[in-house]
Amino acid sequence: MSLHFLGPLHSFSYNICPKKLHKKMTACIHDSRTQIFDTNNNNNHGPNFLRPDSPDQFSCQQIISKIHTQTLLPPIHKTKDDDDDYDDDDVMIMMKTEAESDVNQEPILSNYYHRSILSHHSIESALANHLSLKLGDLSLPSGPLYDLFMDVLIDDQDIVKAVKYDLVAVKERDPACLTYVQCFLNFKGFLACQAHRIAHKLWSLDRKVIAFIIQNRVSEVFALDIHPGAKIGHGILLDHATGLVIGETAVIGNNVSILHNVTLGGTGKMSGDRHPKIGDGVLIGAGTCVLGNVRIGDGAKIGAGSVVLRDVPARTTAVGNPAKLIGGKENPVKLDKIPGLTMDHTLHINEWSDYVI
């Protein structure tokens, strides 16, 4: 089976055999209650936990190590046939396990973790609670915000699935992220993205007033500004996120990684559809400005501090102010890996720069 992360970008794929993995994983046993994400959607009846009484413990360790670096979640839009077989509580169970471990290590966190994670039966409830406490104030209490957020999350399960994809994305791509629960509670880029998902849903329902209120509170609390009209895919990493600005008609694909102080803005002279369109698997470096209704192709990379005013072809690298393609416009160097996943900011630097120290 070939799992494609980037839709039409068929050259970026991972070949796995979920049936073989499933048979091995069911025998895995370990004393840390480590969870395995089963890649076989048709036979996934919930998370597999590891217990300390198996004769196959050594071989299980090898399987865990192999799978840990390529954790996969099922497609964000499941089919009708998958409804009875797909159990997506895995990330919440993992977070509860991590929270219990953190509390054992730091008992002072007991009340905080219980209120934020351990007392909740679903990721919807935990997220609605945490965001409402972060964004609420005296004039907009957290109680009504919690009810509003819960209504949106329960009504639109695609948002909930995107939340889980984002958690996995941060854990896999950000070396500063130690656990899922650390990201869920503390990473403002992740939290701002999830608040935007709720605001965007309200925006699409023509509840623009409350959508703008949420945007404003996110801007004040997390120091970044995402217009509620912007469309954002799943598997998103907003690393650090401070100073990030995303305009109203911007569109961001799946498995995209964006660093701090990035602007996806207009040119200042256009109206209507005036903001960038970011393809799947794109990496955008810190301090970059992408301005106007330009297209950044699937799997492209934009170097830190660049100013992009024109389309960037798929799987190419653009750097500088104004940005230029590495290898030139006629024969640009093509990337063979997904920069949005690898987070490699320095590849091919020797091919275009004579910078030395």
Side-chain angles (χ1 to χ4, degrees):
M1 173 182 177
S2 180
L3 256 178
H4 297 281
F5 282 84
L6 300 181
L9 197 57
H10 297 302
S11 60
F12 292 153
S13 63
Y14 294 84
N15 294 316
I16 61 174
C17 184
K19 292 184 178 179
K20 292 181 180 179
L21 281 178
H22 179 71
K23 291 178 181 178
K24 291 181 180 179
M25 287 157 51
T26 54
C28 286
I29 295 176
H30 188 263
D31 59 0
S32 67
R33 295 189 68 204
T34 302
Q35 181 184 352
I36 295 297
F37 291 88
D38 191 346
T39 56
N40 184 355
N41 295 344
N42 295 325
N43 294 304
N44 187 4
H45 296 287
N48 295 318
F49 289 102
L50 308 176
R51 295 171 290 114
D53 54 353
S54 167
D56 298 324
Q57 186 169 5
F58 179 76
S59 62
C60 173
Q61 290 284 354
Q62 295 175 329
I63 297 170
I64 294 171
S65 177
K66 181 178 180 181
I67 297 175
H68 179 71
T69 60
Q70 53 181 5
T71 301
L72 304 177
L73 288 172
I76 195 162
H77 296 291
K78 63 182 181 179
T79 65
K80 184 177 181 180
D81 295 337
D82 295 328
D83 288 345
D84 296 332
D85 294 330
Y86 175 46
D87 181 355
D88 64 352
D89 289 335
D90 41 26
V91 176
M92 187 62 185
I93 295 173
M94 177 65 82
M95 286 203 301
K96 285 194 172 187
T97 301
E98 294 171 345
E100 291 170 354
S101 176
D102 287 352
V103 169
N104 289 335
Q105 195 172 30
E106 297 289 350
I108 193 174
L109 297 175
S110 178
N111 288 338
Y112 174 54
Y113 271 67
H114 184 268
R115 180 189 64 189
S116 302
I117 301 292
L118 297 173
S119 64
H120 297 276
H121 297 295
S122 68
I123 198 168
E124 296 97 308
S125 176
L127 181 62
N129 174 72
H130 194 51
L131 284 179
S132 66
L133 291 173
K134 287 283 188 180
L135 301 179
D137 59 16
L138 291 177
S139 59
L140 188 64
S142 60
L145 277 181
Y146 172 82
D147 294 336
L148 174 65
F149 294 168
M150 276 296 289
D151 287 344
V152 172
L153 292 171
I154 291 174
D155 181 65
D156 192 339
Q157 286 297 298
D158 279 344
I159 295 179
V160 179
K161 292 181 178 62
V163 171
K164 296 175 183 180
Y165 274 87
D166 291 351
L167 272 171
V168 173
V170 177
K171 179 65 168 56
E172 290 186 341
R173 298 178 216 162
D174 188 349
C177 183
L178 303 178
T179 61
Y180 293 104
V181 73
Q182 177 197 18
C183 170
F184 187 88
L185 295 179
N186 303 319
F187 281 33
K188 67 178 184 180
F190 167 80
L191 293 172
C193 187
Q194 310 326 313
H196 166 75
R197 295 190 188 283
I198 295 173
H200 178 71
K201 178 65 176 182
L202 294 168
W203 177 271
S204 67
L205 295 174
D206 203 30
R207 301 180 65 180
K208 291 181 169 58
V209 174
I210 190 64
F212 271 128
I213 293 295
I214 295 172
Q215 175 204 10
N216 176 256
R217 289 298 296 148
V218 168
S219 177
E220 292 175 343
V221 173
F222 298 127
L224 66 153
D225 196 348
I226 308 176
H227 192 285
K231 299 176 182 179
I232 298 180
H234 62 267
I236 304 299
L237 168 60
L238 305 181
D239 196 4
H240 298 291
T242 301
L244 175 67
V245 177
I246 300 177
E248 176 184 3
T249 60
V251 178
I252 298 175
N254 302 324
N255 301 310
V256 172
S257 297
I258 301 176
L259 276 79
H260 52 284
N261 286 323
V262 166
T263 297
L264 305 181
T267 62
K269 61 181 181 179
M270 293 179 62
S271 60
D273 190 2
R274 61 196 183 279
H275 296 104
K277 309 300 180 283
I278 310 300
D280 296 339
V282 170
L283 171 62
I284 303 180
T288 291
C289 291
V290 185
L291 304 178
N293 187 10
V294 298
R295 167 76 183 179
I296 308 301
D298 293 342
K301 176 166 59 175
I302 311 299
S306 299
V307 177
V308 181
L309 303 174
R310 296 182 179 179
D311 293 354
V312 176
R315 298 167 50 200
T316 62
T317 302
V319 295
N321 180 6
K324 298 180 180 180
L325 296 179
I326 293 180
K329 183 178 180 180
E330 301 302 323
N331 189 30
V333 175
K334 290 285 187 173
L335 299 170
D336 59 356
K337 296 181 180 179
I338 310 171
L341 300 182
T342 64
M343 302 295 291
D344 187 348
H345 295 266
T346 61
L347 187 65
H348 302 306
I349 189 172
N350 292 331
E351 298 178 17
W352 60 270
S353 174
D354 59 358
Y355 173 75
V356 295
I357 295 178

